[in-house]
Amino acid sequence: MQILGRVLLYGVIALLALFVLGSTFLLDHGGGSTSAHQPVSVHDLRLLPEAYRGHTVTTEGDLHFSPELNQFEVVDSEQQAVVVRGYDENRLQDMVGKTVVVTGRFEIDADAGIYIEIESIGVTD
């Protein structure tokens, strides 16, 4: 009987330890799907591009289209821009002139300069 009691006691302790560890992990890491990438300003992306290279970033600005360069850009209030690409151009055209939030992989290319390969984009309210 004592052995059964010990097994039950240690089982409860192990379950509580797993609960505490799981709760700590979720609190530290935001629960995965509900956590968002920290916003990065267009200014910071232009100022420190190597710091963000290869990382998923989220930024906000007005969506512009440059006919001379044939590319879409997210432009901040200081008229600094980051090229955005890898998304349906017809849908992007519908958002031109609107403030958007863009999430995607930030990269540097000799031809395009700095750019975001879009994972998601949406118009802000």
Side-chain angles (χ1 to χ4, degrees):
M1 199 66 165
Q2 281 184 335
I3 293 175
L4 183 59
R6 285 184 182 175
V7 169
L8 184 60
L9 178 64
Y10 291 134
V12 169
I13 290 171
L15 287 173
L16 287 173
L18 286 174
F19 174 76
V20 169
L21 287 174
S23 298
T24 302
F25 179 79
L26 287 175
L27 289 172
D28 285 346
H29 299 287
S33 62
T34 59
S35 67
H37 297 281
Q38 287 289 359
V40 179
S41 68
V42 171
H43 173 79
D44 288 348
L45 291 173
R46 294 195 58 81
L47 183 64
L48 301 166
E50 286 296 333
Y52 299 102
R53 184 181 209 166
H55 294 224
T56 300
V57 298
T58 298
T59 195
E60 181 175 341
D62 294 336
L63 187 66
H64 292 197
F65 179 74
S66 172
E68 301 85 33
L69 301 172
N70 194 33
Q71 63 189 17
F72 291 91
E73 304 168 328
V74 174
V75 181
D76 69 7
S77 61
E78 299 170 356
Q79 300 307 304
Q80 297 184 64
V82 173
V83 173
V84 292
R85 63 187 202 184
Y87 202 76
D88 180 12
E89 290 187 13
N90 292 326
R91 294 181 68 192
L92 288 175
Q93 194 63 45
D94 292 340
M95 294 183 236
V96 168
K98 298 177 182 172
T99 303
V100 295
V101 175
V102 178
T103 299
R105 186 175 181 86
F106 183 77
E107 291 294 346
I108 303 170
D109 182 281
D111 296 326
I114 61 171
Y115 68 93
I116 298 173
E117 192 73 30
I118 300 173
E119 292 175 9
S120 68
I121 184 169
V123 176
T124 63
D125 295 328

